[in-house]
Amino acid sequence: MERPSIRQKPSKAHIVWTPDPEKGVKRFDEEYLQKWCRHIGFDFERYSRVDHERSDDSRTQYQCVFSYQKDNSESVEMDGEEWSIATEKMPRTFVEIDEEGVLRVQGWSTERIIDVAELWHDGAELMIRAADEDGTLRIDTTDLTP
């Protein structure tokens, strides 16, 4: 994905769009996604990692977190002693888009990978047009909060 160009976005609410589908170059407004997350009250994270369901290479991930796991710890016994290993809070429900425009939606009971052609919001709802599907998918982010 590339940063927004001088040409206008399809709408003020667009986060990802493909101005020329034949060329397939997607535009991504990271700053606007951060502002939307902050406005709605969600956390925004940016990091790089390998997600084998999307690629075998490390990609930059842009994540909007709606809720976190309550407890993420493990107990390990070594030489008769028990050790507890706790990790920082882990995202439970989120939307994560990588630098190629492939989106992971992690809900309470479902997970889906979508190659995004367009992503925009309507209030707290995310609207998605997939590159390989007809129609518009709606994600009501308020359903993904505790």
Side-chain angles (χ1 to χ4, degrees):
M1 289 188 302
E2 295 181 8
R3 298 182 62 77
S5 66
I6 294 175
R7 299 167 90 185
Q8 285 192 317
K9 297 183 344 178
S11 77
K12 184 179 177 182
H14 269 74
I15 298 162
V16 175
W17 65 100
T18 311
D20 187 353
E22 287 183 23
K23 290 183 181 176
V25 176
K26 298 175 188 179
R27 300 287 180 181
F28 172 56
D29 193 341
E30 177 186 355
E31 185 177 307
Y32 188 73
L33 177 59
Q34 287 180 18
K35 287 179 182 178
W36 177 77
C37 287
R38 195 169 43 247
H39 176 75
I40 299 294
F42 301 132
D43 290 342
F44 178 83
E45 300 288 333
R46 180 179 193 249
Y47 53 88
S48 292
R49 73 175 176 88
V50 174
D51 181 343
H52 292 288
E53 292 184 45
R54 293 185 273 184
S55 173
D56 289 332
D57 299 320
S58 180
R59 291 183 179 175
T60 302
Q61 311 286 333
Y62 307 91
Q63 186 179 66
C64 185
V65 181
F66 310 118
S67 69
Y68 291 92
Q69 292 181 6
K70 295 268 188 220
D71 182 22
N72 195 23
S73 64
E74 260 183 58
S75 293
V76 177
E77 189 173 322
M78 291 175 48
D79 298 327
E81 285 190 56
E82 189 170 317
W83 297 81
S84 283
I85 302 170
T87 60
E88 293 183 29
K89 60 185 181 179
M90 296 287 294
R92 174 63 183 96
T93 59
F94 57 87
V95 168
E96 176 182 76
I97 190 159
D98 70 19
E99 65 189 51
E100 297 298 320
V102 181
L103 183 89
R104 173 187 297 280
V105 178
Q106 175 67 53
W108 294 109
S109 60
T110 62
E111 182 177 354
R112 185 163 177 198
I113 307 281
I114 304 165
D115 185 6
V116 173
E118 284 185 77
L119 172 67
W120 71 97
H121 77 88
D122 182 5
E125 285 189 323
L126 287 174
M127 316 297 280
I128 303 165
R129 280 206 189 99
D132 55 353
E133 295 180 30
D134 290 332
T136 302
L137 305 168
R138 294 176 157 291
I139 300 171
D140 186 350
T141 60
T142 59
D143 290 342
L144 298 174
T145 59

